[in-house]
Amino acid sequence: MHQEEQTRQNNFAKFKELWFLLFMLFFTLFHNVFVEVIGEGWSFIGYSLLFLFMYGLFRWLRKLVAFLRKPLSWGSLIVFYIAGVFVLSTFMIP
């Protein structure tokens, strides 16, 4: 039972790493660019494909680049993401 709980914690630990923060920021950037270029009506399928492609790309980069596996706390992950979205939105909103 203890081994199963530790495995479950290890599964979620990868989402607290630097790659996940960068993935979410770049996904937000590309999403905002597509909304500006295509408009609000771009399809749910396109949105889903963009998400899956970028998630796969960053998971692949996580295996190749060691610093992307740097662990972050949940607080720093949330704060950096909010700050990144704020900075990106200042460039995206005219």
Side-chain angles (χ1 to χ4, degrees):
M1 183 70 170
H2 180 68
Q3 179 70 22
E4 182 180 313
E5 183 177 316
Q6 188 175 16
T7 303
R8 190 177 306 134
Q9 287 177 342
N10 289 340
N11 288 340
F12 287 113
K14 63 185 160 207
F15 294 111
K16 293 171 46 179
E17 296 173 349
L18 183 60
W19 75 271
F20 188 69
L21 173 68
L22 294 175
F23 159 69
M24 291 302 292
L25 289 173
F26 277 101
F27 177 72
T28 303
L29 174 68
F30 281 109
H31 172 266
N32 290 346
V33 167
F34 280 128
V35 166
E36 289 293 321
V37 172
I38 300 172
E40 287 290 332
W42 73 299
S43 72
F44 179 73
I45 294 172
Y47 181 84
S48 300
L49 290 175
L50 174 67
F51 181 86
L52 291 174
F53 172 75
M54 290 195 66
Y55 184 76
L57 176 68
F58 274 89
R59 290 286 301 193
W60 177 69
L61 285 173
R62 178 187 180 266
K63 291 179 183 179
L64 292 179
V65 183
F67 79 87
L68 289 177
R69 294 186 292 268
K70 181 180 185 242
L72 301 170
S73 68
W74 281 111
S76 64
L77 187 70
I78 292 168
V79 168
F80 282 131
Y81 178 73
I82 291 171
V85 168
F86 177 76
V87 169
L88 290 175
S89 68
T90 59
F91 295 116
M92 297 301 294
I93 298 173

XYZ file of all heavy atoms in Angstrom:
809
model
N 0.825 -1.198 0.000
C 0.000 0.000 0.000
C 0.870 1.264 0.000
O 0.583 2.209 -0.701
C -0.927 -0.050 1.216
C -1.873 1.092 1.292
S -3.095 0.954 -0.019
C -4.223 2.187 0.468
N 1.921 1.224 0.808
C 2.815 2.374 0.871
C 3.532 2.589 -0.462
O 3.713 3.731 -0.892
C 3.828 2.182 2.001
C 4.785 3.319 2.149
N 4.386 4.558 2.585
C 6.103 3.416 1.895
C 5.424 5.368 2.599
N 6.487 4.693 2.187
N 3.926 1.509 -1.098
C 4.591 1.597 -2.403
C 3.664 2.219 -3.438
O 4.080 3.037 -4.252
C 5.042 0.199 -2.863
C 5.722 0.187 -4.208
C 7.085 0.847 -4.173
O 7.701 0.950 -3.111
N 7.551 1.304 -5.304
N 2.379 1.844 -3.417
C 1.399 2.394 -4.364
C 1.209 3.892 -4.143
O 1.138 4.660 -5.091
C 0.074 1.662 -4.199
C -1.000 2.121 -5.155
C -2.292 1.355 -4.935
O -2.236 0.123 -4.832
O -3.337 2.018 -4.860
N 1.175 4.323 -2.881
C 1.015 5.751 -2.570
C 2.250 6.531 -3.011
O 2.132 7.623 -3.556
C 0.796 5.926 -1.066
C 0.553 7.368 -0.662
C 0.268 7.487 0.820
O -0.502 6.674 1.346
O 0.835 8.404 1.430
N 3.440 5.961 -2.807
C 4.668 6.628 -3.225
C 4.741 6.728 -4.752
O 5.153 7.745 -5.294
C 5.878 5.874 -2.688
C 7.173 6.601 -2.909
C 8.339 5.866 -2.259
O 8.236 4.698 -1.911
N 9.439 6.570 -2.097
N 4.293 5.693 -5.457
C 4.269 5.725 -6.914
C 3.315 6.794 -7.403
O 3.606 7.517 -8.354
C 3.859 4.349 -7.469
O 4.762 3.374 -6.981
C 3.863 4.354 -8.978
N 2.168 6.922 -6.766
C 1.193 7.944 -7.148
C 1.775 9.339 -6.961
O 1.591 10.208 -7.787
C -0.084 7.778 -6.326
C -1.220 8.635 -6.821
C -2.518 8.421 -6.059
N -2.904 7.029 -6.035
C -3.311 6.381 -4.941
N -3.405 7.015 -3.789
N -3.650 5.123 -4.990
N 2.519 9.556 -5.858
C 3.146 10.853 -5.639
C 4.208 11.121 -6.693
O 4.359 12.241 -7.159
C 3.767 10.919 -4.249
C 2.751 11.041 -3.146
C 3.397 11.019 -1.771
O 4.543 10.598 -1.618
N 2.663 11.465 -0.773
N 4.969 10.099 -7.077
C 5.988 10.268 -8.107
C 5.364 10.593 -9.455
O 5.945 11.315 -10.245
C 6.856 9.017 -8.217
C 7.765 8.854 -7.019
O 8.033 9.806 -6.302
N 8.212 7.641 -6.780
N 4.183 10.048 -9.739
C 3.514 10.346 -10.995
C 3.137 11.820 -11.091
O 3.199 12.411 -12.162
C 2.271 9.484 -11.171
C 2.623 8.044 -11.476
O 3.718 7.745 -11.917
N 1.692 7.150 -11.224
N 2.731 12.429 -9.995
C 2.351 13.832 -10.011
C 3.548 14.761 -9.852
O 3.457 15.939 -10.167
C 1.317 14.125 -8.926
C -0.032 13.572 -9.247
C -0.574 12.546 -8.493
C -0.763 14.059 -10.312
C -1.808 12.025 -8.796
C -2.002 13.546 -10.628
C -2.526 12.520 -9.860
N 4.683 14.242 -9.380
C 5.869 15.082 -9.182
C 6.366 15.655 -10.500
O 6.885 16.763 -10.527
C 6.973 14.278 -8.505
N 6.187 14.937 -11.615
C 6.687 15.436 -12.898
C 5.937 16.679 -13.360
O 6.450 17.442 -14.159
C 6.630 14.345 -13.958
C 5.260 13.847 -14.283
C 5.336 12.688 -15.237
C 4.050 11.903 -15.186
N 4.227 10.530 -15.535
N 4.720 16.891 -12.830
C 3.970 18.082 -13.209
C 4.402 19.303 -12.408
O 3.929 20.395 -12.658
C 2.473 17.853 -13.037
C 1.949 16.820 -13.986
C 1.520 15.600 -13.518
C 1.918 17.066 -15.346
C 1.053 14.647 -14.401
C 1.465 16.113 -16.227
C 1.026 14.901 -15.749
N 5.303 19.126 -11.458
C 5.827 20.243 -10.690
C 7.226 20.612 -11.158
O 7.947 21.306 -10.467
C 5.845 19.881 -9.202
C 4.470 19.729 -8.608
C 4.484 19.161 -7.213
C 5.473 19.770 -6.299
N 5.444 19.215 -4.942
N 7.600 20.174 -12.335
C 8.929 20.451 -12.858
C 8.882 21.620 -13.830
O 7.822 22.040 -14.285
C 9.488 19.206 -13.541
C 9.704 18.060 -12.579
C 10.107 16.776 -13.259
O 10.020 16.685 -14.498
O 10.489 15.845 -12.542
N 10.067 22.131 -14.149
C 10.187 23.311 -15.009
C 9.568 23.099 -16.381
O 8.960 24.009 -16.935
C 11.664 23.688 -15.142
C 11.983 24.932 -15.953
C 11.319 26.160 -15.339
C 13.480 25.122 -16.049
N 9.658 21.890 -16.929
C 9.100 21.636 -18.265
C 7.606 21.907 -18.296
O 7.085 22.397 -19.279
C 9.384 20.203 -18.728
C 8.543 19.169 -18.060
C 8.824 18.508 -16.912
C 7.266 18.687 -18.482
N 7.805 17.654 -16.589
C 6.841 17.743 -17.535
C 6.437 18.975 -19.567
C 5.623 17.068 -17.627
C 5.225 18.298 -19.658
C 4.832 17.363 -18.705
N 6.901 21.582 -17.207
C 5.450 21.775 -17.178
C 5.106 23.256 -17.188
O 4.170 23.687 -17.880
C 4.847 21.079 -15.959
C 3.352 21.082 -15.962
C 2.660 20.320 -16.883
C 2.649 21.844 -15.066
C 1.267 20.329 -16.901
C 1.268 21.850 -15.069
C 0.585 21.093 -15.989
N 5.868 24.043 -16.455
C 5.657 25.496 -16.458
C 5.879 26.059 -17.856
O 5.054 26.822 -18.363
C 6.594 26.163 -15.460
C 6.611 27.689 -15.476
C 5.293 28.244 -14.982
C 7.756 28.206 -14.640
N 6.976 25.671 -18.485
C 7.256 26.156 -19.842
C 6.206 25.672 -20.835
O 5.796 26.417 -21.732
C 8.651 25.723 -20.275
C 9.801 26.348 -19.495
C 11.126 25.743 -19.937
C 9.806 27.849 -19.650
N 5.757 24.435 -20.675
C 4.700 23.911 -21.541
C 3.441 24.760 -21.429
O 2.864 25.161 -22.447
C 4.396 22.455 -21.177
C 3.048 21.990 -21.627
C 2.770 21.819 -22.982
C 2.049 21.739 -20.714
C 1.519 21.396 -23.402
C 0.801 21.307 -21.122
C 0.536 21.143 -22.470
N 3.014 25.052 -20.219
C 1.791 25.823 -20.033
C 1.940 27.248 -20.576
O 1.012 27.787 -21.178
C 1.384 25.846 -18.553
C 0.930 24.504 -18.043
S -0.457 23.807 -18.960
C -1.757 24.924 -18.530
N 3.099 27.850 -20.382
C 3.302 29.210 -20.899
C 3.318 29.242 -22.422
O 2.691 30.095 -23.037
C 4.587 29.810 -20.328
C 4.528 30.175 -18.856
C 5.904 30.604 -18.368
C 3.512 31.259 -18.589
N 4.034 28.300 -23.043
C 4.070 28.268 -24.496
C 2.726 27.875 -25.087
O 2.323 28.393 -26.126
C 5.174 27.325 -25.004
C 6.515 27.982 -25.040
C 7.441 27.737 -24.040
C 6.847 28.851 -26.060
C 8.676 28.349 -24.069
C 8.086 29.466 -26.095
C 9.008 29.212 -25.091
N 1.996 26.985 -24.413
C 0.669 26.633 -24.888
C -0.247 27.851 -24.845
O -1.013 28.103 -25.783
C 0.067 25.497 -24.059
C -1.331 25.161 -24.466
C -1.570 24.506 -25.661
C -2.400 25.505 -23.670
C -2.858 24.211 -26.055
C -3.691 25.202 -24.056
C -3.921 24.556 -25.256
N -0.162 28.620 -23.761
C -0.964 29.839 -23.657
C -0.586 30.831 -24.754
O -1.469 31.449 -25.372
C -0.769 30.482 -22.271
O -1.115 29.534 -21.268
C -1.617 31.735 -22.116
N 0.709 30.975 -25.020
C 1.169 31.880 -26.068
C 0.625 31.457 -27.430
O 0.038 32.269 -28.155
C 2.694 31.931 -26.103
C 3.304 32.722 -27.254
C 3.008 34.205 -27.073
C 4.791 32.464 -27.333
N 0.791 30.177 -27.788
C 0.312 29.708 -29.088
C -1.212 29.763 -29.182
O -1.761 30.091 -30.229
C 0.809 28.288 -29.380
C 2.229 28.256 -29.839
C 3.222 27.753 -29.019
C 2.583 28.752 -31.086
C 4.536 27.732 -29.438
C 3.896 28.744 -31.514
C 4.879 28.228 -30.684
N -1.895 29.468 -28.086
C -3.354 29.576 -28.087
C -3.778 31.008 -28.377
O -4.665 31.259 -29.204
C -3.908 29.105 -26.741
C -5.361 29.353 -26.595
N -5.853 30.476 -25.986
C -6.435 28.640 -27.001
C -7.182 30.441 -26.020
N -7.553 29.333 -26.624
N -3.137 31.972 -27.709
C -3.492 33.380 -27.933
C -3.169 33.830 -29.350
O -3.921 34.611 -29.941
C -2.786 34.270 -26.919
C -3.333 34.101 -25.528
O -4.392 33.522 -25.334
N -2.599 34.581 -24.546
N -2.072 33.337 -29.903
C -1.722 33.681 -31.283
C -2.770 33.132 -32.239
O -3.226 33.834 -33.150
C -0.311 33.150 -31.646
C -0.066 33.216 -33.139
C 0.748 33.936 -30.901
N -3.195 31.894 -32.045
C -4.218 31.309 -32.922
C -5.555 32.035 -32.786
O -6.276 32.196 -33.767
C -4.400 29.817 -32.656
C -3.340 28.967 -33.302
C -2.627 28.051 -32.565
C -3.052 29.094 -34.654
C -1.648 27.266 -33.144
C -2.080 28.322 -35.255
C -1.374 27.406 -34.495
N -5.886 32.476 -31.589
C -7.129 33.229 -31.413
C -7.038 34.552 -32.162
O -8.004 34.980 -32.794
C -7.435 33.445 -29.913
C -8.520 34.489 -29.717
C -7.842 32.134 -29.267
N -5.874 35.210 -32.125
C -5.707 36.470 -32.858
C -5.735 36.260 -34.364
O -6.327 37.043 -35.099
C -4.384 37.145 -32.465
C -4.366 37.721 -31.077
C -5.294 38.898 -30.929
O -5.384 39.716 -31.865
O -5.940 38.994 -29.869
N -5.097 35.194 -34.843
C -4.988 34.949 -36.281
C -6.285 34.396 -36.851
O -6.794 34.887 -37.861
C -3.806 33.995 -36.580
C -3.789 33.565 -38.031
C -2.497 34.658 -36.208
N -6.830 33.371 -36.213
C -8.008 32.672 -36.746
C -9.299 33.252 -36.191
O -10.316 33.255 -36.863
C -7.911 31.162 -36.453
C -6.661 30.598 -37.113
C -9.144 30.425 -36.922
C -6.363 29.161 -36.740
N -9.268 33.734 -34.975
C -10.463 34.268 -34.348
C -10.950 33.339 -33.250
O -10.427 32.243 -33.042
N -11.958 33.788 -32.542
C -12.486 33.014 -31.413
C -13.113 31.693 -31.833
O -13.277 30.810 -31.022
C -13.532 33.843 -30.652
C -12.962 34.952 -29.828
C -12.185 34.472 -28.617
O -12.484 33.390 -28.087
O -11.258 35.191 -28.215
N -13.458 31.557 -33.101
C -14.175 30.378 -33.543
C -13.301 29.206 -33.948
O -13.797 28.264 -34.539
N -11.998 29.237 -33.657
C -11.192 28.098 -34.082
C -11.638 26.869 -33.317
O -12.023 26.914 -32.180
C -9.717 28.393 -34.018
C -9.064 28.475 -32.663
C -9.349 29.342 -31.670
C -7.990 27.665 -32.197
N -8.533 29.128 -30.614
C -7.684 28.107 -30.904
C -7.256 26.629 -32.745
C -6.681 27.543 -30.142
C -6.258 26.066 -31.987
C -5.982 26.523 -30.704
N -11.582 25.764 -33.970
C -12.293 24.571 -33.529
C -11.704 23.942 -32.279
O -10.530 24.092 -31.958
C -12.300 23.527 -34.648
O -11.015 22.970 -34.796
N -12.562 23.200 -31.621
C -12.169 22.416 -30.456
C -11.145 21.355 -30.849
O -10.224 21.062 -30.094
C -13.412 21.763 -29.843
C -13.116 20.905 -28.654
C -12.779 21.477 -27.444
C -13.170 19.526 -28.752
C -12.500 20.680 -26.344
C -12.889 18.732 -27.661
C -12.558 19.303 -26.449
N -11.274 20.832 -32.045
C -10.329 19.817 -32.527
C -8.944 20.448 -32.709
O -7.931 19.869 -32.316
C -10.826 19.179 -33.833
C -12.101 18.391 -33.566
C -9.761 18.292 -34.448
C -12.795 17.881 -34.804
N -8.876 21.631 -33.283
C -7.601 22.324 -33.440
C -6.958 22.634 -32.099
O -5.749 22.466 -31.915
N -7.758 23.063 -31.157
C -7.287 23.350 -29.802
C -6.728 22.078 -29.172
O -5.650 22.089 -28.577
C -8.454 23.900 -28.981
C -8.137 24.274 -27.576
C -7.601 25.521 -27.275
C -8.382 23.398 -26.524
C -7.318 25.884 -25.971
C -8.101 23.752 -25.217
C -7.572 24.994 -24.948
O -7.283 25.343 -23.666
N -7.440 20.980 -29.304
C -7.013 19.700 -28.731
C -5.729 19.198 -29.391
O -4.829 18.707 -28.709
C -8.108 18.647 -28.885
O -9.265 19.062 -28.235
N -5.646 19.321 -30.717
C -4.443 18.881 -31.412
C -3.228 19.721 -31.021
O -2.127 19.185 -30.860
C -4.655 18.914 -32.921
C -5.625 17.867 -33.480
C -5.833 18.088 -34.968
C -5.122 16.466 -33.194
N -3.422 21.025 -30.871
C -2.334 21.885 -30.420
C -1.860 21.459 -29.040
O -0.660 21.341 -28.789
C -2.777 23.347 -30.392
C -1.773 24.348 -29.804
C -0.545 24.456 -30.707
C -2.418 25.701 -29.605
N -2.799 21.199 -28.151
C -2.446 20.770 -26.798
C -1.666 19.460 -26.833
O -0.602 19.343 -26.204
C -3.710 20.610 -25.946
C -3.417 20.185 -24.539
C -3.115 21.124 -23.572
C -3.431 18.845 -24.181
C -2.839 20.738 -22.271
C -3.146 18.449 -22.886
C -2.849 19.403 -21.928
N -2.159 18.467 -27.545
C -1.500 17.166 -27.592
C -0.121 17.253 -28.238
O 0.841 16.637 -27.759
C -2.367 16.153 -28.329
C -3.645 15.739 -27.606
C -4.486 14.836 -28.494
C -3.325 15.058 -26.293
N 0.003 18.015 -29.310
C 1.299 18.182 -29.965
C 2.308 18.833 -29.025
O 3.443 18.365 -28.879
C 1.153 19.013 -31.246
C 2.464 19.371 -31.867
C 3.199 18.423 -32.558
C 2.977 20.657 -31.743
C 4.431 18.751 -33.126
C 4.198 20.992 -32.294
C 4.926 20.035 -32.991
N 1.902 19.925 -28.384
C 2.830 20.632 -27.508
C 3.167 19.810 -26.271
O 4.308 19.811 -25.805
C 2.266 21.995 -27.131
C 2.264 22.948 -28.304
S 2.018 24.639 -27.832
C 3.490 24.966 -26.917
N 2.194 19.083 -25.737
C 2.453 18.237 -24.578
C 3.467 17.153 -24.950
O 4.424 16.903 -24.214
C 1.159 17.614 -24.061
C 1.359 16.797 -22.809
C 1.536 17.415 -21.581
C 1.382 15.406 -22.862
C 1.730 16.675 -20.435
C 1.576 14.654 -21.722
C 1.750 15.297 -20.514
O 1.949 14.549 -19.380
N 3.292 16.518 -26.082
C 4.234 15.503 -26.541
C 5.624 16.075 -26.761
O 6.629 15.465 -26.399
N 5.691 17.259 -27.355
C 6.972 17.919 -27.594
C 7.705 18.200 -26.290
O 8.895 17.902 -26.148
C 6.760 19.224 -28.374
C 8.007 20.068 -28.625
C 8.944 19.357 -29.596
C 7.611 21.433 -29.153
N 7.006 18.743 -25.303
C 7.660 19.069 -24.038
C 7.996 17.824 -23.227
O 8.987 17.810 -22.502
C 6.823 20.058 -23.230
C 7.098 21.483 -23.617
C 6.385 22.079 -24.630
C 8.086 22.211 -22.988
C 6.641 23.379 -25.015
C 8.355 23.510 -23.363
C 7.634 24.106 -24.372
N 7.192 16.759 -23.342
C 7.561 15.494 -22.679
C 8.828 14.928 -23.311
O 9.689 14.393 -22.621
C 6.421 14.475 -22.792
C 5.206 14.808 -21.984
C 5.442 14.572 -20.549
N 5.788 13.163 -20.378
C 5.829 12.532 -19.233
N 5.529 13.181 -18.152
N 6.161 11.281 -19.157
N 8.962 15.043 -24.615
C 10.159 14.581 -25.309
C 11.371 15.425 -24.897
O 12.445 14.890 -24.625
C 9.921 14.639 -26.814
C 11.094 14.253 -27.641
C 11.639 13.006 -27.764
C 11.880 15.123 -28.446
N 12.715 13.064 -28.621
C 12.892 14.344 -29.051
C 11.820 16.481 -28.734
C 13.828 14.881 -29.905
C 12.762 17.017 -29.585
C 13.746 16.221 -30.165
N 11.184 16.757 -24.837
C 12.274 17.635 -24.418
C 12.687 17.368 -22.975
O 13.868 17.484 -22.625
C 11.871 19.105 -24.576
C 11.846 19.640 -25.998
C 11.270 21.047 -26.026
C 13.236 19.618 -26.601
N 11.729 16.988 -22.126
C 12.028 16.672 -20.728
C 13.022 15.519 -20.642
O 13.915 15.517 -19.804
C 10.742 16.312 -19.994
C 10.954 15.929 -18.552
C 9.655 15.427 -17.927
N 9.861 15.074 -16.550
C 10.138 13.843 -16.139
N 10.243 12.856 -17.006
N 10.312 13.601 -14.857
N 12.873 14.547 -21.519
C 13.790 13.403 -21.510
C 15.178 13.789 -22.012
O 16.169 13.222 -21.571
C 13.231 12.271 -22.372
C 12.000 11.642 -21.778
C 11.475 10.546 -22.678
C 10.192 9.979 -22.097
N 9.639 8.930 -22.929
N 15.258 14.746 -22.922
C 16.536 15.116 -23.524
C 17.327 16.144 -22.723
O 18.549 16.085 -22.673
C 16.308 15.676 -24.930
C 15.807 14.700 -25.978
C 15.613 15.420 -27.302
C 16.771 13.549 -26.137
N 16.640 17.109 -22.135
C 17.310 18.247 -21.493
C 17.155 18.129 -19.978
O 16.045 18.145 -19.452
C 16.717 19.582 -21.993
C 17.448 20.762 -21.398
C 16.731 19.635 -23.516
N 18.287 18.032 -19.278
C 18.262 17.762 -17.838
C 17.646 18.904 -17.022
O 16.912 18.651 -16.073
C 19.675 17.480 -17.349
N 17.918 20.161 -17.370
C 17.425 21.258 -16.532
C 15.897 21.396 -16.575
O 15.319 22.017 -15.684
C 18.102 22.592 -16.870
C 17.577 23.282 -18.089
C 16.497 24.143 -17.998
C 18.173 23.083 -19.322
C 16.011 24.788 -19.125
C 17.704 23.718 -20.441
C 16.608 24.574 -20.350
N 15.249 20.816 -17.573
C 13.783 20.869 -17.617
C 13.148 19.981 -16.554
O 11.963 20.114 -16.269
C 13.275 20.460 -19.002
C 13.540 21.459 -20.118
C 13.051 20.911 -21.445
C 12.882 22.788 -19.823
N 13.938 19.078 -15.954
C 13.421 18.213 -14.899
C 13.593 18.821 -13.511
O 13.329 18.177 -12.505
C 14.113 16.853 -14.961
C 13.779 16.083 -16.213
C 14.360 14.689 -16.198
N 15.810 14.658 -16.282
C 16.506 14.573 -17.416
N 15.870 14.521 -18.569
N 17.814 14.543 -17.393
N 13.986 20.084 -13.443
C 14.175 20.762 -12.158
C 12.832 20.866 -11.439
O 11.871 21.395 -11.981
C 14.753 22.155 -12.385
C 14.999 22.900 -11.111
C 15.577 24.274 -11.384
C 15.899 24.910 -10.063
N 15.183 26.100 -9.815
N 12.763 20.357 -10.193
C 11.481 20.398 -9.476
C 11.152 21.801 -8.962
O 12.026 22.544 -8.545
C 11.681 19.418 -8.319
C 13.151 19.343 -8.124
C 13.789 19.640 -9.453
N 9.876 22.135 -9.006
C 9.365 23.397 -8.471
C 8.271 23.079 -7.466
O 7.586 22.066 -7.577
C 8.779 24.260 -9.592
C 9.706 24.663 -10.733
C 8.898 25.295 -11.853
C 10.758 25.620 -10.250
N 8.077 23.961 -6.504
C 6.961 23.783 -5.575
C 5.668 24.192 -6.278
O 5.689 24.897 -7.289
C 7.167 24.626 -4.314
O 7.059 26.002 -4.635
N 4.545 23.723 -5.746
C 3.255 24.090 -6.352
C 3.063 25.593 -6.333
O 2.554 26.182 -7.278
C 2.095 23.411 -5.620
C 1.923 21.986 -6.007
C 2.166 20.905 -5.232
C 1.476 21.475 -7.268
N 1.907 19.751 -5.935
C 1.484 20.074 -7.184
C 1.101 22.066 -8.461
C 1.103 19.270 -8.243
C 0.726 21.249 -9.517
C 0.730 19.875 -9.392
N 3.475 26.237 -5.246
C 3.325 27.691 -5.148
C 4.121 28.431 -6.208
O 3.607 29.336 -6.864
N 5.385 28.037 -6.385
C 6.202 28.706 -7.398
C 5.691 28.415 -8.798
O 5.722 29.277 -9.670
C 7.671 28.312 -7.261
O 7.851 26.939 -7.516
N 5.195 27.209 -9.012
C 4.639 26.868 -10.320
C 3.446 27.758 -10.652
O 3.358 28.327 -11.735
C 4.224 25.396 -10.338
C 3.769 24.825 -11.665
C 4.949 24.716 -12.610
C 3.152 23.465 -11.458
N 2.551 27.940 -9.703
C 1.358 28.765 -9.919
C 1.723 30.236 -10.078
O 1.240 30.910 -10.984
C 0.352 28.547 -8.771
C -0.218 27.127 -8.843
C -0.764 29.584 -8.808
C -0.993 26.705 -7.621
N 2.619 30.731 -9.225
C 3.002 32.145 -9.281
C 3.727 32.458 -10.587
O 3.440 33.463 -11.240
C 3.867 32.523 -8.062
C 4.517 33.887 -8.245
C 3.022 32.508 -6.802
N 4.675 31.605 -10.993
C 5.386 31.847 -12.249
C 4.459 31.752 -13.445
O 4.586 32.503 -14.406
C 6.556 30.871 -12.420
C 7.764 31.224 -11.609
C 8.387 30.262 -10.837
C 8.276 32.509 -11.615
C 9.507 30.577 -10.096
C 9.392 32.835 -10.878
C 10.005 31.860 -10.107
N 3.495 30.832 -13.404
C 2.555 30.721 -14.510
C 1.690 31.978 -14.607
O 1.504 32.528 -15.692
C 1.673 29.480 -14.369
C 0.678 29.375 -15.478
C 1.075 29.027 -16.757
C -0.670 29.679 -15.269
C 0.178 28.956 -17.791
C -1.573 29.613 -16.298
C -1.150 29.246 -17.555
O -2.045 29.195 -18.585
N 1.168 32.446 -13.488
C 0.341 33.656 -13.490
C 1.160 34.854 -13.964
O 0.687 35.662 -14.776
C -0.270 33.896 -12.099
C -1.321 32.827 -11.802
C -0.878 35.284 -11.990
C -1.822 32.838 -10.379
N 2.396 34.966 -13.495
C 3.252 36.067 -13.933
C 3.550 35.954 -15.425
O 3.540 36.957 -16.137
C 4.550 36.064 -13.132
N 3.793 34.750 -15.903
C 4.058 34.559 -17.327
C 2.866 34.900 -18.186
O 3.003 35.542 -19.230
N 1.687 34.489 -17.751
C 0.472 34.818 -18.494
C 0.256 36.327 -18.494
O -0.130 36.906 -19.507
C -0.750 34.076 -17.910
C -2.046 34.621 -18.473
C -0.629 32.585 -18.192
N 0.513 36.987 -17.377
C 0.377 38.433 -17.302
C 1.331 39.118 -18.279
O 0.935 40.018 -19.027
C 0.613 38.921 -15.880
C 0.551 40.412 -15.744
C -0.667 41.064 -15.761
C 1.710 41.157 -15.612
C -0.725 42.447 -15.640
C 1.664 42.524 -15.494
C 0.435 43.179 -15.512
N 2.583 38.680 -18.306
C 3.570 39.283 -19.196
C 3.195 39.015 -20.652
O 3.243 39.908 -21.503
C 4.986 38.750 -18.896
C 5.978 39.146 -19.976
C 5.453 39.265 -17.535
N 2.805 37.774 -20.972
C 2.405 37.451 -22.338
C 1.156 38.224 -22.747
O 1.043 38.655 -23.898
C 2.156 35.956 -22.482
C 3.389 35.048 -22.406
C 2.959 33.601 -22.431
C 4.346 35.349 -23.534
N 0.233 38.414 -21.825
C -1.000 39.119 -22.178
C -0.748 40.592 -22.456
O -1.479 41.208 -23.224
C -2.042 38.944 -21.084
O -1.645 39.620 -19.908
N 0.292 41.156 -21.861
C 0.595 42.567 -22.155
C 1.060 42.728 -23.594
O 0.852 43.772 -24.201
C 1.666 43.129 -21.208
O 2.855 42.370 -21.323
C 1.177 43.134 -19.782
N 1.684 41.684 -24.148
C 2.103 41.727 -25.551
C 0.970 41.384 -26.503
O 0.944 41.825 -27.634
C 3.278 40.777 -25.801
C 4.524 41.171 -25.073
C 5.061 40.345 -24.102
C 5.166 42.375 -25.352
C 6.209 40.705 -23.438
C 6.311 42.740 -24.695
C 6.841 41.902 -23.715
N 0.032 40.561 -26.033
C -1.024 40.059 -26.905
C -2.237 40.990 -26.964
O -2.951 40.995 -27.937
C -1.476 38.666 -26.454
C -0.400 37.603 -26.521
S 0.275 37.354 -28.169
C -1.139 36.700 -29.015
N -2.483 41.748 -25.889
C -3.652 42.622 -25.863
C -3.206 44.017 -26.305
O -2.341 44.626 -25.684
C -4.270 42.682 -24.460
C -4.753 41.291 -24.046
C -5.409 43.694 -24.417
C -5.230 41.207 -22.622
N -3.798 44.524 -27.393
C -3.365 45.843 -27.893
C -3.737 46.985 -26.972
O -4.580 46.977 -26.218
C -4.085 45.985 -29.235
C -5.104 44.906 -29.289
C -4.811 43.939 -28.198
